[in-house]
Each structure stands twice: as structure tokens, then as C-alpha cells.
Amino acid sequence: MTSTQPHTEPVTSGKPRYELLDGLRGVAAFLVIWFHFGEGFATSAVDQMVNHGYLAVDFFFVLSGFVLGYAYDNRWKKGGMTAGNFMLRRVIRLHPMVVMSVILGALAFLIQGSVKWDGTPVPLHNVLLALALGLFLLPTFPGSTTDVRGNYEMFPLNGPSWSLFFEYIGSILYAVWLHRLSKRALRLVVLLSAIGLGAMAFGANEGYRTSFGWSACGLGMLGGFCRLSFSFSMGLLLSRTIKPIKIRGAFWLCAAVIAAVTLCPYIGNEKNVCNVIYDLLCTYLVFPAVVYLGACGNTTDRFSTATCSFAGQLSYPIYIIHYPVMYVFYGWVWTNHLTFSEVWPVCTVIFFGLILFAWFIMRYYDTPLRTYLTRRLITDKSHR
């Protein structure tokens, strides 16, 4: 259902920043929003707008592994990083917006009347309990009192928080284990993870696509971990083995590939196994290639540089705060039986409104709070 957002860590130790990868992260985040708009009108995966938008999660995990490896691998080797210090940095980077998004999700739920999608009233104490779990990224299980929307979401007040849950798992694994692995051992992790993801895609979960992970229902939790395991470790491996080549126009080329991948229509009916093969090929080959090409390219003109900077800065805020707005949007569309052709101007206004709202929250909440927390809590002042 919902897709993930990557979180490019501020590059440290004087290393140059991959502005182009920041921009691609933003492109994918914007496509996710339109994918979620489409959910309000789809009757099945076949007629879903931005059909494969859920694959953005796999791209984001590859990107996350690449950037964390690039930014921190050398610091582990030099003894300038500990697991606790690393995780503190990740919490400061990610959690302020997690808190904001869950609060917005609770407000949206109350605005909608504090009822499940089927109209069942939800007591306020259940909403508050779901809020408390969401603030600490503790998942909700299907059928529990905290499944307040009744849609089996792991985080019912802000669906995309599931991706942050796995992002934290990836960060913990990197801090305690993955950063220690040799290239050979990491290749083995990538191979075993690929096998696990393929097994989940073909047999153990939905059977027709790799969009699992957003719910703890059935094997959803395991499926989400398989997606993380392959893509994150592949990104980390890329960061250790990349041999850059000069590529012109890499940003626009890679952005076009990401758009083409997510916009590609389904093949045949909803249960066609060809869609599983497509998803896996994109995850195994296309997204690692996009990250590699993006890392090889540079922005050489003012417009591309500004585009990458703008999209990169807004990618995380707009991703993590947009879904509470979608909940209200879905309720309005479904209650009034509206079609996309009737409301596309509203979608456009909401889209640009979300961009403005995300910028406002980033500018006046996220950035100042992270700066304050970094100054107070990070003792390694030379490598902030």
C-alpha cells in the first residue's frame, strides 16, 4: 500500500555530497504521492495509477545503504564511530518528522470522526494508544485495539511509517554487523537476501507483486524485512565497489528510468506472475543500476543543481507527512463516489500544497530541531 522514503544522511568527514542522488530521491518521493492519489480510485492493481509506485521503497533502501556506507564506512575503520553514536545520529535525522507525521495522522483521524473505514466508532483511548505506539515506531497488529482504521496497517495513523520501521532495522544491522563485513561476506548477504526476496514474491505472500511490508498481517513483516535486506545490503555493497565513469545527463536519464518503472502498466490480470518477475528485475537490477549511474553523474548546470537540491531537501518531509492528507482525501472521494477525472484539479492543488507544507515544516520545525539536538547530543563536534 504505502511506500518508503529514503533518508540521505548528511555526508561527513569532508566528503562531497551526491546532489544528484538527492534529486533522484525527491523524484521518487513525488511519484509516490501520485501513486497514493491513484489508490483512491483503483479497483485493483491492474487499474492503479502509477501502477508500480510501491517499488519506490526498494529504490529508497538501495539508496539508503549506499549513502550510509559512503558516509560512515571509513569512520568505523578509523575508530571514529560507535554503534551508539551512529544510532543517535539516525534518531536525530529521522525521528522528529516521525513524531510530526503521527501527530498529523491522529488529527486527521479525529477530523474524520474517529471511525474505522467501515464506520465503526473508535474510542479516544484507542486512538491515543495508537498515537503512543506510532511515536515510538512500535507496530500495530491486525485486529488489535490499536488498528484504529481497520485496514491492517502496521502504523494506522500514518501508513508510510512502516518504511521508517524497517529503515531503523537497517541502521541497527549496519551499526552492529554489516559495517564489519568484508566485500566477500557482503556479497553473500546480498545473494541470500535476493533468494529470500524471490521466495517471498513467488510463494509466501501476495503471489503477484512485491508490495508487502506495510502490514504485519500474515508474513508481511517478513516480506518487508526481505525487501530491506536485499536492497539495503546491495546499496552498501555498491558504495564499497563503485568505480565511477563519466556520464552526461545522468540525473535526467535516471529520473526518466524511475518514472518509467513506476508508471509501467500491469501485465495481464492482477495475478499474472509476469508482474512478480518485473518487480524483481527492477529491484535486483534496475534500481542498483540507477544508484550507480546517479553516483557517477554530476549536475553541471544551474537548473539541474537547483532541481536536485530542492527535490532532495523536500523528499523526506513530503513523504512522511503526506499520507494523513491522503486519509482525508480518500474519505471525501469514497463518500461522494468521485472519479479521478472529476477531482484531478483538486489533486494538483493538494500536491503543490503538500510541497509548500513540507517546506514549511522542514524550515521551521525539522531543521531547527535537528540542529539543536545535534549541538546538544553529538559530542564529536568535528564530524557533525
Side-chain angles (χ1 to χ4, degrees):
M1 185 175 180
T2 51
S3 299
T4 189
Q5 165 54 15
H7 320 289
T8 299
E9 190 78 5
V11 175
T12 58
S13 302
K15 287 187 173 183
R17 188 183 185 95
Y18 283 117
E19 291 92 351
L20 198 149
L21 292 180
D22 287 345
L24 294 177
R25 179 163 41 96
V27 169
F30 293 150
L31 286 167
V32 165
I33 294 175
W34 286 100
F35 169 68
H36 287 151
F37 274 130
E39 285 185 325
F41 309 97
T43 60
S44 70
V46 175
D47 60 0
Q48 167 73 23
M49 187 171 65
V50 193
N51 284 14
H52 294 273
Y54 54 86
L55 288 175
V57 67
D58 304 283
F59 171 71
F60 289 146
F61 283 148
V62 176
L63 186 59
S64 181
F66 179 89
V67 172
L68 289 183
Y70 171 75
Y72 287 103
D73 267 1
N74 287 337
R75 298 185 61 189
W76 293 102
K77 296 176 182 177
K78 295 177 180 179
M81 183 61 61
T82 65
N85 188 271
F86 173 79
M87 287 308 303
L88 178 59
R89 291 167 183 271
R90 295 303 283 157
V91 170
I92 291 173
R93 175 66 183 96
L94 303 178
H95 223 77
M97 288 304 300
V98 170
V99 170
M100 175 60 72
S101 67
V102 177
I103 292 174
L104 292 174
L107 291 175
F109 187 73
L110 294 175
I111 289 172
Q112 290 182 286
S114 191
V115 296
K116 295 184 177 182
W117 287 122
D118 63 4
T120 304
V122 177
L124 179 60
H125 65 269
N126 286 354
V127 181
L128 294 177
L129 182 56
L131 173 63
L133 291 177
L135 291 174
F136 292 96
L137 274 184
L138 299 175
T140 284
F141 291 91
S144 65
T145 57
T146 54
D147 185 14
V148 293
R149 290 191 178 275
N151 198 40
Y152 301 155
E153 291 171 287
M154 194 183 296
F155 296 94
L157 295 180
N158 186 47
S161 290
W162 77 269
S163 61
L164 275 298
F165 174 79
F166 285 106
E167 181 77 20
Y168 270 120
I169 291 177
S171 296
I172 292 170
L173 289 175
Y174 175 72
V176 301
W177 179 51
L178 290 175
H179 79 270
R180 305 174 187 270
L181 297 184
S182 65
K183 293 178 184 178
R184 183 176 181 180
L186 190 56
R187 289 189 182 96
L188 181 60
V189 171
V190 170
L191 175 60
L192 294 177
S193 299
I195 293 172
L197 178 59
M200 284 294 301
F202 281 111
N205 204 273
E206 296 190 36
Y208 64 97
R209 62 180 183 177
T210 61
S211 63
F212 34 78
W214 59 272
S215 172
C217 185
L219 296 175
M221 187 85 74
L222 178 60
F225 178 77
C226 287
R227 296 177 76 181
L228 167 79
S229 180
F230 171 77
S231 296
F232 187 89
S233 58
M234 173 57 82
L236 184 57
L237 180 62
L238 279 174
S239 74
R240 297 180 183 179
T241 59
I242 188 171
K243 296 180 180 179
I245 59 176
K246 189 174 182 179
I247 298 176
R248 293 180 60 86
F251 172 71
W252 303 107
L253 172 62
C254 292
V257 170
I258 294 171
V261 163
T262 56
L263 291 169
C264 180
Y266 262 67
I267 303 169
N269 60 41
E270 189 175 13
K271 299 295 183 179
N272 194 319
V273 72
C274 291
N275 294 304
V276 177
I277 297 172
Y278 175 84
D279 285 359
L280 290 175
L281 287 175
C282 291
T283 303
Y284 291 160
L285 301 176
V286 176
F287 293 143
V290 168
V291 171
Y292 170 75
L293 293 175
C296 289
N298 291 296
T299 54
T300 57
D301 62 272
R302 184 175 300 178
F303 178 71
S304 295
T305 300
T307 299
C308 288
S309 176
F310 177 77
Q313 288 179 17
L314 287 184
S315 59
Y316 180 39
I318 200 171
Y319 171 79
I320 199 63
I321 60 94
H322 81 278
Y323 214 65
V325 176
M326 292 296 172
Y327 287 128
V328 178
F329 174 77
Y330 294 155
W332 173 63
V333 166
W334 297 339
T335 299
N336 294 282
H337 307 288
L338 301 172
T339 64
F340 181 72
S341 61
E342 294 175 304
V343 303
W344 69 263
V346 177
C347 294
T348 303
V349 171
I350 292 174
F351 176 71
F352 287 104
L354 283 169
I355 291 176
L356 180 61
F357 186 44
W359 177 87
F360 182 86
I361 290 179
M362 177 191 70
R363 176 67 176 81
Y364 294 104
Y365 165 72
D366 186 46
T367 300
L369 180 55
R370 288 194 290 113
T371 300
Y372 171 78
L373 292 174
T374 299
R375 288 175 177 170
R376 291 295 302 269
L377 301 177
I378 301 298
T379 57
D380 184 8
K381 299 181 184 298
S382 64
H383 292 98
R384 286 179 177 174

